[in-house]
Amino acid sequence: MELTTFWFAVIAFLWTGYFVLEGFDFGVGLLAPVLSRNEAERRQVLGTIGPVWDGNEVWLITAIGAMFAAFPAWYAGLLSGFYLPIALVLAGLIARGIGLEWRAKVHHPSGRAWCDLGILVGSALPAFLWGAVFATLLHDSAPAALVGGVFSLSLCVLHGAVFVALKTSGPVRTRARRTAMITSAVTLPAAVVALSNIPLAGTAVADWAAAPWLWACALTAMAALAAGTALTWRGRDGWAFTATASSIALGSAALFGALWPAPLPGLTVAEAASGPYTLGVLTWIGLVALPFVLGYQIWSYWVFRKRLVAVVT
Protein backbone atom coordinates (compact mmCIF):
# COMPACT_ATOMS: atom_id res chain seq x y z
CA MET A 1 0.00 0.00 0.00
CA GLU A 2 1.33 3.46 -0.90
CA LEU A 3 1.87 5.84 2.00
CA THR A 4 -0.60 8.34 0.55
CA THR A 5 -3.31 5.67 0.52
CA PHE A 6 -2.33 4.52 4.00
CA TRP A 7 -2.57 8.02 5.46
CA PHE A 8 -5.85 8.75 3.74
CA ALA A 9 -7.19 5.60 5.41
CA VAL A 10 -5.75 6.69 8.78
CA ILE A 11 -7.39 10.11 8.50
CA ALA A 12 -10.69 8.50 7.51
CA PHE A 13 -10.38 6.25 10.58
CA LEU A 14 -9.72 9.22 12.86
CA TRP A 15 -12.69 11.17 11.50
CA THR A 16 -14.85 8.09 11.89
CA GLY A 17 -13.82 7.72 15.53
CA TYR A 18 -14.65 11.37 16.07
CA PHE A 19 -18.09 11.05 14.46
CA VAL A 20 -18.96 7.95 16.49
CA LEU A 21 -17.73 9.19 19.86
CA GLU A 22 -18.55 12.89 19.65
CA GLY A 23 -21.83 11.97 18.00
CA PHE A 24 -23.33 10.76 21.25
CA ASP A 25 -21.63 13.63 23.13
CA PHE A 26 -23.49 16.12 20.96
CA GLY A 27 -26.70 14.15 21.31
CA VAL A 28 -26.46 14.14 25.10
CA GLY A 29 -25.82 17.89 25.14
CA LEU A 30 -28.86 18.48 22.96
CA LEU A 31 -31.09 16.15 24.96
CA ALA A 32 -30.16 17.21 28.49
CA PRO A 33 -33.04 19.74 28.77
CA VAL A 34 -35.49 17.23 27.28
CA LEU A 35 -34.61 14.19 29.37
CA SER A 36 -34.25 15.86 32.77
CA ARG A 37 -36.97 17.23 35.01
CA ASN A 38 -34.82 18.50 37.88
CA GLU A 39 -31.23 19.30 38.75
CA ALA A 40 -30.43 15.75 39.90
CA GLU A 41 -31.59 14.30 36.58
CA ARG A 42 -29.71 16.99 34.66
CA ARG A 43 -26.51 15.96 36.43
CA GLN A 44 -27.35 12.33 35.70
CA VAL A 45 -27.72 12.99 31.97
CA LEU A 46 -24.59 15.13 31.66
CA GLY A 47 -22.68 12.71 33.87
CA THR A 48 -22.91 10.08 31.13
CA ILE A 49 -20.37 12.06 29.09
CA GLY A 50 -18.56 13.79 31.96
CA PRO A 51 -15.53 11.46 32.05
CA VAL A 52 -15.15 11.06 28.28
CA TRP A 53 -16.23 14.13 26.31
CA ASP A 54 -12.86 15.88 26.35
CA GLY A 55 -11.07 12.66 25.38
CA ASN A 56 -13.47 12.23 22.47
CA GLU A 57 -12.48 15.65 21.15
CA VAL A 58 -8.90 14.44 20.85
CA TRP A 59 -10.02 12.47 17.79
CA LEU A 60 -10.83 15.73 16.01
CA ILE A 61 -7.52 17.31 16.99
CA THR A 62 -5.64 14.22 15.81
CA ALA A 63 -7.58 14.05 12.54
CA ILE A 64 -6.93 17.72 11.74
CA GLY A 65 -3.28 17.38 12.78
CA ALA A 66 -2.81 14.32 10.58
CA MET A 67 -4.37 16.17 7.63
CA PHE A 68 -1.99 19.10 8.20
CA ALA A 69 1.06 16.84 8.28
CA ALA A 70 0.16 14.28 5.60
CA PHE A 71 -2.00 16.34 3.21
CA PRO A 72 -1.28 20.05 3.77
CA ALA A 73 -3.10 21.13 0.60
CA TRP A 74 -6.23 19.24 1.68
CA TYR A 75 -6.00 20.76 5.15
CA ALA A 76 -5.60 24.27 3.75
CA GLY A 77 -8.36 23.89 1.19
CA LEU A 78 -10.86 22.44 3.67
CA LEU A 79 -10.29 24.97 6.42
CA SER A 80 -10.12 28.00 4.14
CA GLY A 81 -12.97 26.91 1.86
CA PHE A 82 -15.28 26.36 4.84
CA TYR A 83 -13.88 29.07 7.06
CA LEU A 84 -17.19 30.35 8.47
CA PRO A 85 -18.83 26.99 9.34
CA ILE A 86 -15.61 25.62 10.83
CA ALA A 87 -15.17 28.81 12.86
CA LEU A 88 -18.72 28.32 14.16
CA VAL A 89 -17.88 24.69 14.97
CA LEU A 90 -14.89 25.83 17.03
CA ALA A 91 -16.97 28.49 18.77
CA GLY A 92 -19.55 25.83 19.60
CA LEU A 93 -16.95 23.44 20.96
CA ILE A 94 -15.50 26.20 23.14
CA ALA A 95 -18.95 27.16 24.47
CA ARG A 96 -19.79 23.53 25.17
CA GLY A 97 -16.50 22.92 26.94
CA ILE A 98 -16.96 25.97 29.15
CA GLY A 99 -20.50 24.91 29.98
CA LEU A 100 -19.52 21.36 30.88
CA GLU A 101 -16.52 22.41 32.96
CA TRP A 102 -18.12 25.28 34.84
CA ARG A 103 -21.59 23.92 35.45
CA ALA A 104 -20.58 21.94 38.53
CA LYS A 105 -18.71 24.97 39.91
CA VAL A 106 -21.62 27.40 39.57
CA HIS A 107 -24.22 27.35 42.34
CA HIS A 108 -26.60 30.08 41.23
CA PRO A 109 -29.49 28.92 39.00
CA SER A 110 -28.90 31.70 36.47
CA GLY A 111 -25.26 30.68 36.14
CA ARG A 112 -26.23 27.07 35.52
CA ALA A 113 -28.78 28.25 32.95
CA TRP A 114 -26.03 30.02 30.98
CA CYS A 115 -23.89 26.89 31.16
CA ASP A 116 -26.81 24.79 29.93
CA LEU A 117 -27.31 27.20 27.02
CA GLY A 118 -23.63 26.92 26.11
CA ILE A 119 -23.86 23.12 26.18
CA LEU A 120 -27.01 23.14 24.02
CA VAL A 121 -25.75 25.59 21.38
CA GLY A 122 -22.24 24.15 21.48
CA SER A 123 -23.64 20.70 20.74
CA ALA A 124 -26.09 21.80 18.03
CA LEU A 125 -23.61 23.78 15.91
CA PRO A 126 -21.03 21.02 15.31
CA ALA A 127 -23.71 18.33 14.97
CA PHE A 128 -25.38 20.24 12.13
CA LEU A 129 -22.39 21.93 10.49
CA TRP A 130 -20.13 18.90 10.09
CA GLY A 131 -22.88 17.16 8.15
CA ALA A 132 -23.41 20.26 6.03
CA VAL A 133 -19.69 20.65 5.31
CA PHE A 134 -19.09 17.07 4.20
CA ALA A 135 -22.32 16.96 2.19
CA THR A 136 -21.15 20.09 0.36
CA LEU A 137 -17.81 18.44 -0.38
CA LEU A 138 -19.69 15.64 -2.11
CA HIS A 139 -22.42 17.53 -3.97
CA ASP A 140 -21.68 21.29 -3.67
CA SER A 141 -25.26 22.49 -3.37
CA ALA A 142 -27.35 24.20 -0.71
CA PRO A 143 -30.02 21.43 -0.65
CA ALA A 144 -27.30 18.81 -0.15
CA ALA A 145 -25.81 20.85 2.71
CA LEU A 146 -29.21 21.16 4.36
CA VAL A 147 -29.96 17.45 4.02
CA GLY A 148 -26.51 16.57 5.34
CA GLY A 149 -26.90 18.92 8.29
CA VAL A 150 -30.37 17.66 9.21
CA PHE A 151 -29.23 14.06 8.93
CA SER A 152 -26.12 14.52 11.07
CA LEU A 153 -28.04 16.54 13.67
CA SER A 154 -30.88 14.03 13.98
CA LEU A 155 -28.42 11.12 13.97
CA CYS A 156 -26.50 12.66 16.86
CA VAL A 157 -29.75 13.08 18.81
CA LEU A 158 -30.71 9.46 18.17
CA HIS A 159 -27.20 8.20 18.99
CA GLY A 160 -27.16 10.31 22.15
CA ALA A 161 -30.59 9.10 23.27
CA VAL A 162 -29.51 5.47 22.86
CA PHE A 163 -26.32 6.21 24.80
CA VAL A 164 -28.26 7.82 27.67
CA ALA A 165 -30.58 4.81 27.76
CA LEU A 166 -27.52 2.57 27.98
CA LYS A 167 -25.84 4.59 30.74
CA THR A 168 -28.72 5.55 33.03
CA SER A 169 -31.56 4.05 35.01
CA GLY A 170 -34.96 5.19 36.22
CA PRO A 171 -37.17 7.80 34.55
CA VAL A 172 -34.32 9.26 32.50
CA ARG A 173 -33.70 5.91 30.86
CA THR A 174 -37.41 5.58 29.98
CA ARG A 175 -37.50 9.08 28.48
CA ALA A 176 -34.31 8.42 26.52
CA ARG A 177 -35.82 5.33 24.89
CA ARG A 178 -39.00 7.22 24.06
CA THR A 179 -36.99 10.11 22.60
CA ALA A 180 -34.94 7.71 20.47
CA MET A 181 -38.10 6.27 18.98
CA ILE A 182 -39.51 9.72 18.23
CA THR A 183 -36.22 10.96 16.74
CA SER A 184 -35.99 7.93 14.46
CA ALA A 185 -39.04 9.25 12.57
CA VAL A 186 -36.78 12.06 11.30
CA THR A 187 -33.45 10.25 11.23
CA LEU A 188 -34.48 7.23 9.14
CA PRO A 189 -35.94 9.21 6.19
CA ALA A 190 -33.00 11.63 6.31
CA ALA A 191 -30.64 8.65 6.28
CA VAL A 192 -32.27 7.24 3.16
CA VAL A 193 -31.81 10.54 1.33
CA ALA A 194 -28.31 11.34 2.59
CA LEU A 195 -26.70 7.88 2.57
CA SER A 196 -28.18 6.76 -0.74
CA ASN A 197 -26.64 9.82 -2.41
CA ILE A 198 -23.12 9.25 -1.08
CA PRO A 199 -22.19 6.63 -3.73
CA LEU A 200 -23.41 8.94 -6.49
CA ALA A 201 -20.63 11.38 -5.63
CA GLY A 202 -18.01 8.75 -6.41
CA THR A 203 -19.43 7.50 -9.69
CA ALA A 204 -20.91 8.93 -12.86
CA VAL A 205 -23.88 6.57 -12.97
CA ALA A 206 -26.29 5.45 -10.28
CA ASP A 207 -25.92 1.71 -10.53
CA TRP A 208 -24.55 -1.06 -8.34
CA ALA A 209 -21.70 -2.01 -10.63
CA ALA A 210 -20.16 1.47 -10.68
CA ALA A 211 -19.38 1.63 -6.94
CA PRO A 212 -20.47 -1.63 -5.31
CA TRP A 213 -18.65 -1.27 -2.01
CA LEU A 214 -19.89 2.29 -1.52
CA TRP A 215 -23.45 1.11 -2.05
CA ALA A 216 -22.84 -1.79 0.33
CA CYS A 217 -21.59 0.56 3.07
CA ALA A 218 -24.45 3.02 2.57
CA LEU A 219 -27.17 0.37 2.54
CA THR A 220 -25.70 -1.48 5.52
CA ALA A 221 -25.53 1.82 7.42
CA MET A 222 -29.24 2.36 6.77
CA ALA A 223 -30.01 -1.18 7.90
CA ALA A 224 -27.95 -0.73 11.07
CA LEU A 225 -29.81 2.47 11.86
CA ALA A 226 -33.17 0.74 11.46
CA ALA A 227 -31.91 -2.14 13.60
CA GLY A 228 -30.83 0.31 16.31
CA THR A 229 -34.35 1.74 16.43
CA ALA A 230 -35.90 -1.73 16.67
CA LEU A 231 -33.46 -2.78 19.39
CA THR A 232 -34.24 0.36 21.38
CA TRP A 233 -37.93 -0.45 21.20
CA ARG A 234 -37.16 -3.94 22.58
CA GLY A 235 -35.03 -2.50 25.39
CA ARG A 236 -31.72 -3.93 24.14
CA ASP A 237 -29.72 -0.80 24.90
CA GLY A 238 -26.24 -2.23 24.41
CA TRP A 239 -27.01 -3.72 21.01
CA ALA A 240 -28.93 -0.60 20.00
CA PHE A 241 -25.89 1.56 20.73
CA THR A 242 -23.69 -0.87 18.79
CA ALA A 243 -26.08 -0.55 15.86
CA THR A 244 -26.17 3.25 15.81
CA ALA A 245 -22.38 3.42 16.22
CA SER A 246 -21.97 0.93 13.35
CA SER A 247 -24.31 3.02 11.20
CA ILE A 248 -22.16 6.11 11.74
CA ALA A 249 -18.96 4.17 11.05
CA LEU A 250 -20.32 2.63 7.84
CA GLY A 251 -21.69 5.97 6.68
CA SER A 252 -18.32 7.56 7.32
CA ALA A 253 -16.60 4.77 5.35
CA ALA A 254 -18.92 5.47 2.42
CA LEU A 255 -18.26 9.21 2.76
CA PHE A 256 -14.48 8.93 2.60
CA GLY A 257 -14.72 6.27 -0.07
CA ALA A 258 -16.63 8.76 -2.20
CA LEU A 259 -14.00 11.43 -1.48
CA TRP A 260 -11.21 9.16 -2.77
CA PRO A 261 -9.09 10.01 -4.73
CA ALA A 262 -10.12 13.70 -4.87
CA PRO A 263 -10.99 14.97 -1.36
CA LEU A 264 -11.49 18.48 -2.75
CA PRO A 265 -12.70 19.51 -6.22
CA GLY A 266 -9.72 19.57 -8.57
CA LEU A 267 -7.31 18.25 -5.93
CA THR A 268 -6.27 14.61 -5.81
CA VAL A 269 -4.75 12.83 -2.84
CA ALA A 270 -1.43 12.52 -4.65
CA GLU A 271 -1.32 16.26 -5.31
CA ALA A 272 -2.29 17.12 -1.73
CA ALA A 273 0.22 14.79 -0.05
CA SER A 274 3.47 15.66 1.69
CA GLY A 275 6.77 14.25 0.46
CA PRO A 276 7.74 10.58 0.91
CA TYR A 277 10.19 11.36 3.72
CA THR A 278 7.56 13.25 5.73
CA LEU A 279 5.01 10.48 5.24
CA GLY A 280 7.59 7.89 6.26
CA VAL A 281 8.38 9.69 9.52
CA LEU A 282 4.68 10.15 10.22
CA THR A 283 4.09 6.46 9.68
CA TRP A 284 6.59 5.47 12.35
CA ILE A 285 5.17 8.03 14.78
CA GLY A 286 1.64 6.80 14.12
CA LEU A 287 2.52 3.14 14.53
CA VAL A 288 4.05 3.90 17.94
CA ALA A 289 1.50 6.40 19.28
CA LEU A 290 -1.84 5.15 17.93
CA PRO A 291 -1.98 1.89 19.94
CA PHE A 292 -1.46 3.85 23.18
CA VAL A 293 -4.24 6.31 22.30
CA LEU A 294 -6.64 3.49 21.44
CA GLY A 295 -5.68 1.55 24.56
CA TYR A 296 -6.30 4.55 26.81
CA GLN A 297 -9.70 5.23 25.23
CA ILE A 298 -10.80 1.62 25.65
CA TRP A 299 -9.58 1.58 29.25
CA SER A 300 -11.40 4.82 30.13
CA TYR A 301 -14.71 3.54 28.76
CA TRP A 302 -14.26 0.29 30.67
CA VAL A 303 -13.64 2.14 33.94
CA PHE A 304 -16.76 4.31 33.52
CA ARG A 305 -19.00 1.55 32.15
CA LYS A 306 -21.59 1.46 34.95
CA ARG A 307 -25.03 3.04 34.77
CA LEU A 308 -25.65 6.35 36.54
CA VAL A 309 -28.50 7.14 38.92
CA ALA A 310 -29.98 10.52 39.84
CA VAL A 311 -28.66 11.66 43.22
CA VAL A 312 -30.62 14.37 45.05
CA THR A 313 -28.42 16.65 47.16
Side-chain angles (χ1 to χ4, degrees):
M1 179 187 295
E2 295 182 356
L3 288 180
T4 53
T5 305
F6 171 77
W7 274 101
F8 184 87
V10 169
I11 290 170
F13 171 76
L14 293 171
W15 275 106
T16 300
Y18 173 70
F19 293 149
V20 171
L21 298 176
E22 279 281 81
F24 68 74
D25 278 356
F26 296 147
V28 171
L30 287 162
L31 289 172
V34 177
L35 300 181
S36 56
R37 299 292 183 269
N38 51 54
E39 178 60 23
E41 290 183 349
R42 183 68 60 92
R43 290 197 300 267
Q44 182 187 14
V45 173
L46 295 177
T48 61
I49 61 172
V52 297
W53 70 268
D54 48 355
N56 292 342
E57 287 189 353
V58 172
W59 288 80
L60 174 63
I61 297 170
T62 308
I64 295 293
M67 289 176 64
F68 172 76
F71 301 101
W74 183 14
Y75 165 89
L78 178 66
L79 270 65
S80 61
F82 296 93
Y83 180 83
L84 179 58
I86 290 179
L88 290 174
V89 166
L90 293 177
L93 293 177
I94 292 170
R96 187 182 67 132
I98 293 173
L100 288 169
E101 286 292 334
W102 280 94
R103 195 181 190 285
K105 302 176 177 66
V106 175
H107 302 292
H108 197 277
S110 63
R112 286 198 296 267
W114 279 108
C115 290
D116 290 340
L117 180 61
I119 295 169
L120 178 66
V121 175
S123 299
L125 283 175
F128 179 86
L129 290 172
W130 281 130
V133 165
F134 281 97
T136 303
L137 281 178
L138 292 177
H139 296 289
D140 194 20
S141 69
L146 180 61
V147 170
V150 170
F151 170 56
S152 62
L153 180 64
S154 63
L155 181 57
C156 285
V157 173
L158 175 59
H159 194 39
V162 173
F163 181 73
V164 172
L166 174 65
K167 292 289 292 180
T168 61
S169 59
V172 168
R173 184 184 184 188
T174 302
R175 294 186 205 116
R177 286 176 174 170
R178 188 186 310 122
T179 302
M181 299 302 300
I182 295 171
T183 305
S184 66
V186 176
T187 309
L188 292 176
V192 172
V193 176
L195 292 173
S196 62
N197 278 280
I198 285 180
L200 306 185
T203 177
V205 289
D207 60 38
W208 290 84
W213 77 272
L214 289 181
W215 280 108
C217 285
L219 292 175
T220 309
M222 287 184 252
L225 198 57
T229 303
L231 289 163
T232 298
W233 179 71
R234 296 189 61 184
R236 305 294 297 273
D237 300 324
W239 285 108
F241 180 75
T242 301
T244 55
S246 299
S247 178
I248 296 174
L250 289 164
S252 180
L255 166 67
F256 283 94
L259 290 175
W260 174 269
L264 291 175
L267 180 69
T268 66
V269 169
E271 295 168 339
S274 297
Y277 177 79
T278 300
L279 293 178
V281 173
L282 287 174
T283 301
W284 283 109
I285 294 174
L287 291 174
V288 172
L290 192 58
F292 287 99
V293 174
L294 293 175
Y296 171 77
Q297 285 263 290
I298 294 170
W299 175 80
S300 64
Y301 277 94
W302 175 255
V303 169
F304 297 105
R305 66 189 182 277
K306 294 183 179 180
R307 292 184 183 271
L308 301 180
V309 297
V311 178
V312 179
T313 57

